[in-house]
Amino acid sequence: MKEELNIGIIGTQFMGKAHSNAYRQVPRFFNIPINLHLHTACGRNKAALDQFAQKFGWDRAETDWEKIMEDETINIVDIAAPNDLHMPIAKAAAKAGKHILCEKPIALNLIEAKEMYQSAQKAGVIHMMVFNYRFVPAIALAKQLIEEGKIGKIHHFNGVYYQDWLVDPNFPITWRHDAKTSGSGAHGDMNAHIVDLARFLVGEFISVNGLQKTFVTERPLAPGEGKGAVTTDDATTFQAEFENGALGSFIATRFANGRKNFLRLEIFGSKGSLVFNLERMNELQYFSLEEDPKCQGFRTVLVTESRQPYIDAWWPPGHIIGWEHTFVHLVKTLVEGIAGNKQVRPDFYDGLKCQQVLDAVMESARERKWTDIELDLKL
Amino acid sequence: MKEELNIGIIGTQFMGKAHSNAYRQVPRFFNIPINLHLHTACGRNKAALDQFAQKFGWDRAETDWEKIMEDETINIVDIAAPNDLHMPIAKAAAKAGKHILCEKPIALNLIEAKEMYQSAQKAGVIHMMVFNYRFVPAIALAKQLIEEGKIGKIHHFNGVYYQDWLVDPNFPITWRHDAKTSGSGAHGDMNAHIVDLARFLVGEFISVNGLQKTFVTERPLAPGEGKGAVTTDDATTFQAEFENGALGSFIATRFANGRKNFLRLEIFGSKGSLVFNLERMNELQYFSLEEDPKCQGFRTVLVTESRQPYIDAWWPPGHIIGWEHTFVHLVKTLVEGIAGNKQVRPDFYDGLKCQQVLDAVMESARERKWTDIELDLKL
Amino acid sequence: MKEELNIGIIGTQFMGKAHSNAYRQVPRFFNIPINLHLHTACGRNKAALDQFAQKFGWDRAETDWEKIMEDETINIVDIAAPNDLHMPIAKAAAKAGKHILCEKPIALNLIEAKEMYQSAQKAGVIHMMVFNYRFVPAIALAKQLIEEGKIGKIHHFNGVYYQDWLVDPNFPITWRHDAKTSGSGAHGDMNAHIVDLARFLVGEFISVNGLQKTFVTERPLAPGEGKGAVTTDDATTFQAEFENGALGSFIATRFANGRKNFLRLEIFGSKGSLVFNLERMNELQYFSLEEDPKCQGFRTVLVTESRQPYIDAWWPPGHIIGWEHTFVHLVKTLVEGIAGNKQVRPDFYDGLKCQQVLDAVMESARERKWTDIELDLKL
Amino acid sequence: MKEELNIGIIGTQFMGKAHSNAYRQVPRFFNIPINLHLHTACGRNKAALDQFAQKFGWDRAETDWEKIMEDETINIVDIAAPNDLHMPIAKAAAKAGKHILCEKPIALNLIEAKEMYQSAQKAGVIHMMVFNYRFVPAIALAKQLIEEGKIGKIHHFNGVYYQDWLVDPNFPITWRHDAKTSGSGAHGDMNAHIVDLARFLVGEFISVNGLQKTFVTERPLAPGEGKGAVTTDDATTFQAEFENGALGSFIATRFANGRKNFLRLEIFGSKGSLVFNLERMNELQYFSLEEDPKCQGFRTVLVTESRQPYIDAWWPPGHIIGWEHTFVHLVKTLVEGIAGNKQVRPDFYDGLKCQQVLDAVMESARERKWTDIELDLKL
C-alpha cells in the first residue's frame, strides 16, 4: 500500500478552497506515488473553519496554526494565509521539518523572503511556491516551444494582468488594502504572477522602473464604521530590462473595467511569437517565421491534446479544463518531488527572486528612478 | 445527519469518469440536501473496472450489471454504457424502483426510447438524461435571456458540432462505428446534443430533412486483423422547421479538421441574437437591438459572475471552469430532484423527443424527403 | 500612347457607385495595358443620374440604355441594373459587339442565363460576372492553397451569408422584394455569392435541397400608400452534394440580427481547413495537419503581404484594404482579358452555372424534395 | 462653379501615394465645397517622380521643392518628405502664404516644431498634421463615447504599436535608421501616432519615463557596400502620467514578429472601457458598466453604420473600409477648414505637443529618469 502524506493547511478562503480541491483531485486523474490525506485545516474563524473542513473533507479543524507545527504526523504545511503570515509560518514549518507549499507573493519583502528560503534550505525540506500559472498547459507548452528554440532570441515580454473588482469606490476595505498585512496591492497579488512567468519564460531581470497608483484612497470599513485608508496600490506598471537583452513591460491593475482575470502575455522573438490570455487559458497563440511565408499568422492552439503538457490526464481533445486544474498539476509536481526527495520548481528561490523584482519596482516607484536587480544575490 | 444515496454506475470509460468526478465534486461546491455514496461500479473488463473503481473511489466493482438491480441498497442507476444497453438497463432499473440517469442518445431508436420513458414513468422514479450542455452556465444564461424576451421571436437556430478525430482513415474501428451498438455515428453522438439544445432554447421541431455521409467506409480492426465495415455516419447535416416558425440548420461531423469539440450555436431573433461555442464555453456572445444604435455589437459575456447561473459555487469572476463542471451542475439538479421527489429536466421525455428528431432525420436522409415530427406523440 | 476603352454603365445605385470607383482606381494602383474612359452613365432618374455622373466623372448621362448600344464608341457595357434587365441589356450589348460586365445573379432564371451566355459567346465578346468576392485577396489565397493540395480532399463546404437589414418589419418595400424584378430575395442576392465561391473553391454541385422563408410578408410602400406583398424570400437555406463527394450547407438570411455583411465560409479537407469571414475580409483562417502536432491550430493569416494575391499593389503589410477594392481587382482582370483578347473568369458560364443551382434550390424548396443539377448542361 | 485649390505635394513614396489617393477620392464620396487640383508633385528621383505623377494624375513634376513655394497658384503644400525636411519646407510654405499639411512626426525635435508652429500661425495659414488615425471611424466613435461620458473618468491608457519588418537583420538600412534624417526610429514613426491618440482621447501628459533599444545596430547598405550604423531605436517603451490622473503605458516596436500594423489601444474608465486594434480598424470594442449586470461584456461594434462617423459616405453596413480611407476623411476636414477659413485639428500645435512628449521620452531614456512635460509651453 502507498505511503500517505498528511497535509495541514493554513487558510480557508479562496486559496484554501482551491488547494483543497487540488489535493482531492490529483489522485483521481494522475498516478501519484503517495496518497494524500487532508489532515488538518487551520483558520481564525471557528465557524467558517468547521464548515470549510467539513465541506472539503479535512479531518480536523484547528484555530492555532502553531498546533500544526507541533503535530508530528503532519508532513506538508500549506500556507494559504495572508502575506504577513507567510514568513513566520514557513520558518516554523521548516524548523519542524515539514515540507512547505506557500502562496504568492512569498512574503512582505525580500528580507523576509531570504529568511524563508534560508530556513527551508537549512531544514532540507521540499519547498514550493504556488505560482500556479506555470502549470497552465498552454504556458507549459509555451515554455517547451521556447526551450526548443522555436521563438528564437526573445526581444519583448509584455505582460498585463487586468481585473476590475476595485473600480467601485464602495467596494469595502480588506486585508489586501493594508500594506501591513499584504505588502502591496495589485502589485504583489498580480504582478507577482507575471514576474514569475517572465522569469520562467525569459530569464532574470536586471533593472526595473515602476509607477504605482491608488485611485481610491479610502474605502468603507464594516457597515456603519466609516472609511479606512487604502495603503496599497490599485495599479502598478513597470518597465524592465532582462539579462538576455529583452525589454519588458508590465501592468497590473484592479481598475480595468470589463476585464475579470485577464492575464495576457505577449512574447516576441526572433523566430516566432507567443500570446496567452488567462481568460482563454486553454489556448495559446503561436506565430512561427518558419512556415510558408504566404500563409503565416498567429495560430490558436487549443491546448487539450494528449501530446500537450498535463492535459492527457483529463478529457479528450477540445474538452477544456478550468482555472482550478492548474493547482492539481502543481500538487502533482509537489508530491512527485516529495516522493523522489527532489526539490521542485517553482521553489522558495523563485519566490524570493520574484520578491526581489517586486521590491525593486516599489523602490523605483518611490524614488522615481531605475532600480537594478542584484543578480548575484547574497543568501 | 444527511440521508445518503447509493449510486451504481454502469460504464467506466469517458463518461464513467466524467460522472464519477461529478458525484465527488458536487458536495464540495454546492449545498446539496443528500449525501452521495459511490457504491458500485460496473464494467465488462475486470482489470479496467478495478482500476477505475479504485481511482474514483467506488466501493465495489461488479461485471454483471444485473447485480446492480438486485442490490436493494442502490438508489440511483447511472447508465454510461454503449447505446444498445440503455434500454435494457433502464427498464430493469425502473422495474427495480431505482432512479435513473442515462447518457445520450437515450436509445437506439424511438421505439426503445418510448419503452424507457413508459417504464420509468410507470415506476414513478426520477429519470434524467445527460444532456449536460444545458448546464453550461453560458447556455443557462442564454435560456434566461430568451425567457426574459431579450431575443424576441426566434428566426434562426443554426447549430454545428465539429470534431476531427475520424479524419485519419487509420483511426481504428470502435463500437461507435457499428450501427448495432450505437444506432448512428456523429448523428446520435453529436446532433443529439444540438437537437436537445434547440428544443431547450427554441422549441419543438415540426419537420426535418437530412443528409448522411460516411467518408471512410472501412477502418482497421485490432492490429493484424484487417478492416471492418463502418456502418454509421461520419457526418450528418439537416435542415429543420420549428413549431414557432423558426428555421433550423444542423451539422454534425467528425471530419472538421482542426476543430476538436466545436459546438457552435447561432440564434437570431427579432430583438437580439446569441452565439455560443463549446470550445470557449465560459463565454456567451449576445447582441441586443435595444442598445444605443451607434454602438451596438455582439458582446462577449464572460460567464463567471456570481449573478450568473451555477457559477457562484466555484471561483471569483474570470476564473474559468472546464467541461467537466457541467456534469456537476447536472448531478446537483438530479439530487435536488430526488430529495424533493420532483421530476427534473431534461428527463426521458426530452430524451425521446430528441430521439424522435434523430430518427426522423435518418428516415429523411434514407428516403431523400422531408419527414414530419409527430407533435402529439402517442405514449 | 495607350489604347482607351470607353465604358457605358447602366445603374447608378450601390453597384454603380462601386463599379465607378473601381474604374477610377485601377490605373492608379495597377499597371494596366489600356486606359479606361468613363464614357456614359445610364439611369432612369435624370436628377440622380446627373449627380452620379458628375460625382464619379462620367462624361455623359443617358436615361435610355438602348442609346448605349447604338453608340459605336462604347466598348464595354457594365450592367448594374435590377435583375430583370440583365438579360435584355446583355443580349443587346452582345449583338452590338460590346464586352459585357454583369452584376450577379446573372438573370431571373436559368433560361435567361442560357440566352445571355449563348448570345455573348456567339458575338465573341468578353463577358464577365461580378462575383467580386473571388477577388478578395484572402479568397484568392484560399484558392491557391487548395490548388497546391494544402487542404487535401474537401469533405465539407459550409457557407453562410448573414445580414440583418430586414429584421425591422417597417423597412419599406424595394425592387428586391418583388420576384418579378429580382427573381428571388436573399437567395439570389446572397446565396449567389456563396454558390459561386463554392464552385470556385470546391467544384460543381450535383444535388440540392432547399428551404425558403419570408418572415415578413407585407412591407410598407411609399409613406401613406399602405403595404405591399413581399414575393421574395427573407431567408433560404439548403444542403448540397458536390461532384467530388463533399457535403454542402448554405444559409442566406437578412434576418440575422447583429450581422451586417457576414459571409462565412468553413472548408474542411483531409489535410487542412480554411475559414473566412467577409466582415474581417483581410484575414484567412488556415489549419494545417502538416505542422508539428503539439502546436497545431487555426492560423489567422493577415492577407496584406506583397507575396499574397493582388495586395502588393496597395500598401505595406498590415495596412488593410476595404470591400470596394475587390471590384478594382475584378476590373483589372477584365481589362487584361480585353487587352489580350482572352476570356476571363468568372464569365457568363459561371453565371449560368450559379443560376442553375439557385433555380434548383428554389424548385426543391417548392416541391420539398432533392433536385439534381444537370452536369452536362445543354447549351 | 466651385473654387479650386491647387495642391503641391513633396514626397512620392508611401505617404505621397496615400495622400494622392485621398485627394482623388474625397470629392467622389463627400460633398466638399471646393474642388481639388493635383497641381505639382515634387520628388528627388526624376524617373520615379514622373511615374508617380503620371500614375496619380499630378499635372506637373518638379524636383526642386522651392519651386513649389514660388508658384503663386499653389494653395496647399503637402509635406510627405523625410522628417528632416519638414521644418524647412513648412517654414517656406508659411512664408509663401500657403496652407500646409504635414506628415508626422512634425519635425526632428521640439525646437523645430515650435518654429513651424510659430511661422504657420504668424502667416495665418491653415496648418494640419497627418495624424490620420484620428479619422478612423472607430476612433472617432471612441472619442464621441468619451465625450458623452460613457467611459467616465479614465484610469488607464495602454497603447502599443507593433510591426515586425525589422526582425530580419538583413533588412537594409533606410533613412528611417538615421537619426539625422528621421530624428528617431519606431519612436517618432509609431509612438507619434499613439501619443497623438492619447492626447486626443485622454488629455495632456505630465510626466514620462522611457526605454529605447536598438536590437540590430548595423544593417546592410546597398548590395556590396557593407553595413552602416543604425542610429535610431528599434523599440521604445514608456510609462506616463496624465494631467487627469490616468496612467499610461506605451510600446512601439518593429520587432514584434507576426504583427504587421498592430496598433492597439486599451482605455479603462470608471464607467466603461474601449479597445481598438488597427489591424481590425473597422471594429471598436466597448464595455459598459451600465448594462444589465448579468450580461455585461465587451461589445464588438462593427463601425460601418451610417450613424457612425464618416462612414455614411461609403457603403452599406458591414462593407468595410481600408486603411487609406482615413486620409480621405482627413483631407475632407482640411478642405472644409480652408473653405471656411477655420483652423482644423490636429494642427501644428498638436504636432508640437506630440513632439514634446516624444522628446521628453528620449531625454528620460537617455538620462534614465522621469521627465516632466511643460504644460504651459512658451511659444
Side-chain angles (χ1 to χ4, degrees), chain A residues 171-210:
Chain A
F171 188 96
I173 220 162
T174 72
W175 67 268
R176 292 187 180 279
H177 299 98
D178 182 350
K180 283 196 200 99
T181 44
S182 72
S184 64
H187 187 48
D189 187 26
M190 297 155 74
N191 270 335
H193 276 300
I194 36 180
V195 165
D196 179 66
L197 291 173
R199 289 187 60 253
F200 184 54
L201 298 170
V202 182
E204 299 298 349
F205 290 70
I206 52 173
S207 197
V208 294
N209 190 324

Side-chain angles (χ1 to χ4, degrees), chain A residues 19 67 93 160 207 216 233 237 257 266 299 328 336 341:
Chain A
H19 295 200
K67 292 280 167 54
V160 303
S207 197
V216 173
D233 56 294
T237 74
N257 236 330
E266 298 175 300
R299 273 181 238 173
V328 181
E336 288 172 351
N341 194 27

Side-chain angles (χ1 to χ4, degrees), chain B residues 151 153-156 158 160 162 164 167 207-213 215 234-241 245-260 262 264 266 268-273 275 285 287 289 296-298 364-365 368-370 372, chain C residues 151 153-156 158 160 162 164 167 207-213 215 234-241 245-260 262 264 266 268-273 275 285 287 289 296-298 364-365 368-370 372:
Chain B
I151 308 303
K153 178 175 158 38
I154 294 176
H155 294 119
H156 290 281
N158 301 330
V160 303
Y162 296 152
D164 69 359
V167 173
S207 197
V208 294
N209 191 324
L211 179 59
Q212 297 198 288
K213 182 97 180 186
F215 292 108
D234 290 329
T236 296
T237 75
F238 69 99
Q239 298 176 94
E241 293 169 310
L247 301 188
S249 169
F250 294 76
I251 305 172
T253 181
R254 291 162 173 163
F255 271 71
N257 237 330
R259 298 306 190 196
K260 304 304 171 181
F262 188 101
R264 179 184 59 217
E266 297 175 300
F268 299 116
S270 59
K271 292 191 185 164
S273 300
V275 176
Q285 308 280 334
F287 174 86
L289 255 190
Q296 293 182 356
F298 275 85
S364 80
R368 292 181 74 79
K369 64 172 184 69
W370 283 85
D372 291 343
Chain C
I151 308 305
K153 179 175 159 37
I154 293 176
H155 294 120
H156 290 282
N158 300 331
V160 304
Y162 296 152
D164 69 357
V167 173
S207 197
V208 293
N209 191 323
L211 179 59
Q212 298 199 287
K213 182 98 179 187
F215 292 108
D234 289 330
T236 296
T237 73
F238 70 99
Q239 297 176 94
E241 293 169 311
L247 302 188
S249 169
F250 294 77
I251 305 172
T253 181
R254 291 161 172 164
F255 271 70
N257 236 331
R259 298 306 190 196
K260 304 303 170 182
F262 188 100
R264 179 185 59 215
E266 296 175 300
F268 299 116
S270 59
K271 292 191 187 164
S273 301
V275 175
Q285 307 280 333
F287 173 85
L289 256 192
Q296 293 183 357
F298 275 84
S364 79
R368 292 180 76 78
K369 65 171 184 69
W370 283 87
D372 291 342

Side-chain angles (χ1 to χ4, degrees), chain B residues 156, chain C residues 166 177 185-186 213-217 219 230 232-236 252-255:
Chain B
H156 290 281
Chain C
L166 290 187
H177 299 99
K213 182 98 179 187
T214 305
F215 292 108
V216 173
T217 54
R219 289 188 175 274
V230 174
T232 56
D233 56 294
D234 289 330
T236 296
T253 181
R254 291 161 172 164
F255 271 70

Side-chain angles (χ1 to χ4, degrees), chain C residues 14-313:
Chain C
F14 180 20
M15 285 304 136
K17 189 174 160 185
H19 295 200
S20 298
N21 180 66
Y23 295 127
R24 294 181 52 86
Q25 291 293 77
V26 66
R28 308 301 159 193
F29 293 90
F30 291 90
N31 291 315
I32 53 168
I34 300 184
N35 286 335
L36 298 177
H37 177 212
L38 282 68
H39 189 282
T40 303
C42 179
R44 279 179 286 208
N45 177 321
K46 181 67 174 133
L49 171 64
D50 285 344
Q51 196 185 7
F52 169 80
Q54 190 270 326
K55 199 145 192 186
F56 285 95
W58 291 91
D59 263 2
R60 302 173 207 186
E62 178 58 68
T63 54
D64 177 2
W65 64 259
E66 303 200 3
K67 290 280 165 53
I68 301 235
M69 307 308 157
E70 292 163 15
D71 186 334
E72 293 189 357
T73 63
I74 291 179
N75 309 97
I76 301 176
V77 170
D78 179 331
I79 308 174
N83 302 346
D84 59 330
L85 293 175
H86 290 193
M87 191 267 284
I89 296 174
K91 283 181 69 176
K95 203 172 159 193
K98 299 181 191 314
H99 304 302
I100 313 169
L101 182 65
C102 183
E103 261 301 329
K104 38 55 53 182
I106 189 170
L108 291 181
N109 53 54
L110 182 58
I111 295 167
E112 286 190 5
K114 284 185 183 177
E115 279 194 58
M116 286 169 69
Y117 173 66
Q118 285 160 341
S119 60
Q121 282 289 93
K122 194 172 153 194
V125 299
I126 303 293
H127 44 90
M128 190 178 197
M129 289 299 302
V130 186
F131 288 126
N132 58 307
Y133 296 150
R134 291 194 185 199
F135 299 90
V136 174
I139 293 289
L141 178 61
K143 174 75 170 174
Q144 216 175 309
L145 292 171
I146 290 170
E147 288 187 341
E148 289 174 6
K150 294 281 182 67
I151 308 305
K153 179 175 159 37
I154 293 176
H155 294 120
H156 290 282
F157 178 95
N158 300 331
V160 304
Y161 202 158
Y162 296 152
Q163 297 181 346
D164 69 357
W165 52 285
L166 290 187
V167 173
D168 180 357
N170 294 318
F171 188 96
I173 220 161
T174 72
W175 68 267
R176 291 187 180 277
H177 299 99
D178 182 351
K180 283 196 199 98
T181 44
S182 72
S184 64
H187 187 49
D189 187 26
M190 295 154 74
N191 271 334
H193 276 300
I194 36 179
V195 165
D196 179 66
L197 291 173
R199 289 188 60 253
F200 183 54
L201 298 171
V202 182
E204 298 296 349
F205 290 70
I206 54 172
S207 197
V208 293
N209 191 323
L211 179 59
Q212 298 199 287
K213 182 98 179 187
T214 305
F215 292 108
V216 173
T217 54
E218 286 194 323
R219 289 188 175 274
L221 296 165
E225 298 189 8
K227 292 194 169 188
V230 174
T231 56
T232 56
D233 56 294
D234 289 330
T236 296
T237 73
F238 70 99
Q239 297 176 94
E241 293 169 311
F242 288 90
E243 206 181 358
N244 64 5
L247 302 188
S249 169
F250 294 77
I251 305 172
T253 181
R254 291 161 172 164
F255 271 70
N257 236 331
R259 298 306 190 196
K260 304 303 170 182
N261 201 31
F262 188 100
L263 184 169
R264 179 185 59 215
L265 307 183
E266 296 175 300
I267 299 174
F268 299 116
S270 59
K271 292 191 187 164
S273 301
L274 295 166
V275 175
F276 170 80
N277 174 1
L278 186 61
E279 287 183 359
R280 289 179 174 168
M281 59 168 260
N282 292 271
E283 302 175 11
L284 180 67
Q285 307 280 333
Y286 168 42
F287 173 85
S288 171
L289 256 192
E290 285 165 12
E291 307 310 337
D292 177 354
K294 81 166 171 299
C295 50
Q296 293 183 357
F298 275 84
R299 271 181 240 174
T300 300
V301 184
L302 188 60
V303 190
T304 57
E305 300 282 322
S306 60
R307 56 177 78 85
Q308 291 162 336
Y310 303 113
I311 201 75
D312 190 30

